[in-house]
Amino acid sequence: MIGTMPMMDTMIAQTIQLALAPVFVLVAIGNIIGTLTQRLGRVVDRSRQLQREHGETEGMAHDVLVREIRSLDLRIALIGSALLRLVMAGLAIGITVVLLFVAEFAHVGLNSVAAATFIIAIGLLMWALLIFLKETREAARALRIPEEFLEKDRKL
């Protein structure tokens, strides 16, 4: 029994080292979730403000307001979609780490399953980042200054 302790300690150390890469990905996912949550909060606050103003506008001002509300609605949906994929990626990373430890200690060949869950997690992360890119592009498009304010026909 005493002779197996150093071997067990080595197995634990190796498994922890193997699990570090997925854990670093998990930290990155958490940071991105934090960023998206902050953006979502700002978008929701702005949408609530515009909804209060909705009944007080008419004509061209109302059209501008409705266009912005539509853009905010799209951004809320995109952020929600990205957050869903990030949470799913985080869960897949957690499953990967569990599989690595179970494979090591139960002496079960789960390495290919662990690799598959890690690949799924990275795929979900990349998908979420593409959605995040789309959301930031929508935000930039919505924040563009209308042409009539730029007065490009004037030399200044």
Side-chain angles (χ1 to χ4, degrees):
M1 186 74 144
I2 293 175
T4 62
M5 285 305 276
M7 189 172 144
M8 181 69 102
D9 289 344
T10 303
M11 286 175 33
I12 293 171
Q14 289 173 343
T15 305
I16 289 172
Q17 288 175 344
L18 191 59
L20 278 179
V23 170
F24 282 127
V25 173
L26 190 58
V27 170
I29 289 169
N31 288 334
I32 298 167
I33 286 173
T35 299
L36 284 174
T37 302
Q38 288 177 339
R39 289 179 74 84
L40 181 61
R42 289 196 307 270
V43 171
V44 167
D45 289 346
R46 179 69 178 149
S47 70
R48 286 180 179 153
Q49 176 189 353
L50 292 178
Q51 288 174 54
R52 285 191 296 273
E53 296 173 14
H54 184 269
E56 302 168 5
T57 59
E58 53 187 56
M60 188 168 233
H62 184 76
D63 293 346
V64 168
L65 184 132
V66 170
R67 273 195 292 278
E68 186 174 351
I69 288 173
R70 288 177 183 174
S71 174
L72 292 171
D73 183 61
L74 174 60
R75 290 180 61 198
I76 289 168
L78 289 170
I79 292 170
S81 181
L83 284 170
L84 172 66
R85 277 140 188 91
L86 287 169
V87 169
M88 290 170 52
L91 290 171
I93 291 292
I95 291 168
T96 300
V97 172
V98 167
L99 288 171
L100 289 172
F101 278 94
V102 168
E104 187 65 37
F105 293 110
H107 304 290
V108 180
L110 295 175
N111 288 344
S112 60
V113 179
T117 59
F118 186 73
I119 290 167
I120 289 167
I122 296 300
L124 288 164
L125 172 59
M126 291 170 43
W127 191 1
L129 289 172
L130 287 171
I131 295 169
F132 179 41
L133 176 63
K134 187 173 180 181
E135 188 274 331
T136 58
R137 302 278 301 175
E138 175 62 22
R141 185 201 59 75
L143 295 173
R144 297 284 317 235
I145 298 171
E147 287 287 324
E148 62 265 16
F149 292 110
L150 298 176
E151 299 182 22
K152 288 185 175 180
D153 57 329
R154 294 180 52 211
K155 290 195 182 230
L156 301 175

